[in-house]
Amino acid sequence: MTAPAPDSASTGHDLAIIGAGVVGVATAWAAAQRGLSVLLLDRNDGPAQGTSFANGAQLSYAYTDAMAGPSTWSQLPQMAFGRNGAFRTRWSADPDFLRWGLAFLRQASTAKLQHNTLATLELALESRLAMQSLLQQHPIAFDHAVSGKLHLYPTQEGVDGAAAMIALKRPYGVQQHLVDAAEAVRIEPALAGAPWLAGAVYSPDEEAGDPFRFSQGLLDVLQRDHGVQASFGFDTRSLQRKDGQWQLQAHDGRRASARRLLVCAGIDSAALLRPLGIRMPLMAIKGYSFTAPCGANAPQVSITDTKRKLVFCRLGHRIRVAGLADMNHWNPTPDPARLAQLVDMARASLPEAADYSRIESSWAGLRPVTPWSSPIIRALGDGLGCNIGHGMLGWTLAMGSGERALQQLLGLG
């Protein structure tokens, strides 16, 4: 994974992919499977160093519910003006921020919620099949487990809303069940002592795994078995179509070229495409996580606490806790106060889930969110495409997104 010297040129590839997060690496796998020569570029010093590095780790193939829906209107004051809750917004007069906000609100209806949820569900189910196929060929070690998931609700209103979404997804073969508080505790004893729990949705087929370790392992396979080249520290400055090739130049002067180009650079994708006259409706929603050793009563099942908007995910002998949503916050540097808040929320939710006195690492990342909560996988002309905007589900959707990017956009099914 050593980057070439600054004055070298990388040429002659069938496909260049900008972005070596989990989506970019999965897209490289889809291309390599089709016999393409692939060049993977990333500004960081290795794969999955950005939003993929330490996200919530849940592979939520069944839970694909869109962000915007009828409940958005009642939650709007807290989303817009709350300062200390799980969700907060940095207001701006930037036209892109205002356009995105209005587009998001246009999705806040029952019909749009159902349409957007099912669109993402279709991709999630494709992604699960693609992941299964990969792991049959290459048993990558990334603390992968079919652990199931409990989505916890503090009110009967929340339970009733969940029941409607279960019914919506049932025709697609999704296994989700409403359970009461007692049954939730039977499924996951770590929930004992949660008096606020009104009910839960149990999704027994949901999975979990470390996206950073997965990305490292898959890139090793790609380089060893498929000749994929990776150039790290390649901070793309410009893109230009010339003589049937996409010409890329980095800030340090390095150059690369390929017949086709896929942009998979997460939240940075909008800035990369804008000089080409292509505008993408992406909003940065900053999230946080920490990873700690398992506590005295750590859950085996993945947990989503809707009261506090956070998740618990077991990764071997560690627990990953993720949450918070800071809209229009574009600096990925963790805010110590927000991290402390996340730890306090986790203690209040499951006080013995983790050894909170021995937190091993903490993280913040910028989730690239579209107004409709589904990614943009699209051909943009002249051998250019994008695979971006996966929001909170990049890890879940990565494998299926890579397949779609190759099959639908580049005609290489």
Side-chain angles (χ1 to χ4, degrees):
M1 295 188 292
T2 303
D7 60 349
S8 69
S10 184
T11 61
H13 294 88
D14 296 317
L15 176 67
I17 298 171
I18 301 178
V22 69
V23 171
V25 173
T27 303
W29 166 255
Q33 287 290 96
R34 291 161 172 82
L36 299 185
S37 62
V38 180
L39 174 64
L40 191 60
L41 304 165
D42 197 285
R43 68 179 183 178
N44 293 302
D45 60 5
Q49 296 289 317
T51 303
S52 301
F53 181 71
N55 60 33
Q58 295 180 341
L59 289 161
S60 296
Y61 298 122
Y63 190 81
T64 61
D65 300 18
M67 280 182 59
S71 63
T72 299
W73 299 103
S74 61
Q75 297 169 0
L76 196 58
Q78 177 61 37
M79 292 171 61
F81 304 110
R83 296 187 58 82
N84 299 314
F87 205 114
R88 67 179 183 179
T89 300
R90 184 180 69 85
W91 283 90
S92 170
D94 179 9
D96 285 339
F97 168 75
L98 299 174
R99 276 193 292 267
W100 190 95
L102 290 173
F104 176 75
L105 292 177
R106 284 196 291 270
Q107 305 299 313
S109 68
T110 299
K112 292 289 181 65
L113 169 65
Q114 293 178 349
H115 176 271
N116 295 335
T117 296
L118 291 179
T120 307
L121 177 64
E122 181 181 4
L123 180 56
L125 297 179
E126 293 172 14
S127 198
R128 181 167 62 187
L129 290 175
M131 178 67 85
Q132 290 170 350
S133 176
L134 166 65
L135 296 181
Q136 286 171 2
Q137 299 175 62
H138 300 285
I140 299 168
F142 60 103
D143 289 320
H144 179 235
V146 182
S147 51
K149 178 175 175 178
L150 280 163
H151 216 82
L152 311 181
Y153 293 91
T155 66
Q156 189 58 45
E157 181 182 7
V159 173
D160 294 342
M165 299 306 287
I166 290 174
L168 176 70
K169 290 179 273 189
R170 186 174 294 121
Y172 299 86
V174 174
Q175 296 296 312
Q176 290 186 303
H177 314 286
L178 275 183
V179 298
D180 61 18
E183 178 65 8
V185 172
R186 188 195 68 77
I187 294 168
E188 179 46 75
L191 296 177
W196 55 270
L197 181 60
V201 173
Y202 179 46
S203 306
D205 298 331
E206 296 286 70
E207 303 176 24
D210 187 330
F212 174 66
R213 292 186 63 201
F214 172 84
S215 299
Q216 286 186 312
L218 181 52
L219 182 58
D220 287 344
V221 169
L222 288 167
Q223 293 180 308
R224 182 186 69 237
D225 298 344
H226 297 277
V228 169
Q229 295 184 25
S231 184
F232 293 104
F234 193 102
D235 190 0
T236 304
R237 185 181 74 180
S238 65
L239 312 173
Q240 183 180 13
R241 184 71 173 176
K242 184 178 180 182
D243 298 328
Q245 297 270 322
W246 278 98
Q247 308 287 342
L248 294 79
Q249 183 172 353
H251 283 275
D252 62 8
R254 275 186 282 159
R255 297 177 182 272
S257 66
R259 290 193 298 122
R260 298 183 179 96
L261 173 64
L262 269 169
V263 177
C264 304
I267 199 62
D268 296 327
S269 301
L272 285 170
L273 292 168
R274 194 174 297 123
L276 301 176
I278 301 169
R279 303 190 74 87
M280 288 295 170
L282 297 182
M283 175 58 62
I285 298 186
K286 187 174 181 177
Y288 288 80
S289 79
F290 65 87
T291 307
C294 289
N297 196 14
Q300 295 287 342
V301 175
S302 287
I303 302 293
T304 295
D305 177 347
T306 67
K307 179 180 180 180
R308 299 170 181 85
K309 305 294 191 296
L310 53 82
V311 304
F312 296 81
C313 187
R314 188 165 188 148
L315 297 171
H317 299 293
R318 302 172 298 148
I319 288 287
R320 171 76 46 78
V321 181
L324 307 181
D326 293 352
M327 179 180 288
N328 199 32
H329 286 245
W330 295 79
N331 184 348
T333 303
D335 177 347
R338 287 295 264 175
L339 277 171
Q341 182 180 355
L342 180 63
V343 175
D344 289 343
M345 292 164 63
R347 286 181 185 271
S349 180
L350 293 177
E352 296 185 319
D355 186 343
Y356 297 105
S357 66
R358 296 171 56 205
I359 291 174
E360 298 173 356
S361 62
S362 55
W363 163 93
L366 307 181
R367 308 159 176 139
V369 182
T370 65
W372 48 88
S373 300
S374 290
I376 304 169
I377 307 173
R378 185 181 302 168
L380 303 171
D382 290 330
L384 175 65
C386 66
N387 186 4
I388 60 178
H390 297 74
M392 287 70 166
L393 292 175
W395 177 211
T396 298
L397 302 176
M399 292 298 296
S401 295
E403 289 294 317
R404 279 199 185 180
L406 272 295
Q407 292 174 359
Q408 298 182 14
L409 305 187
L410 303 180
L412 296 169

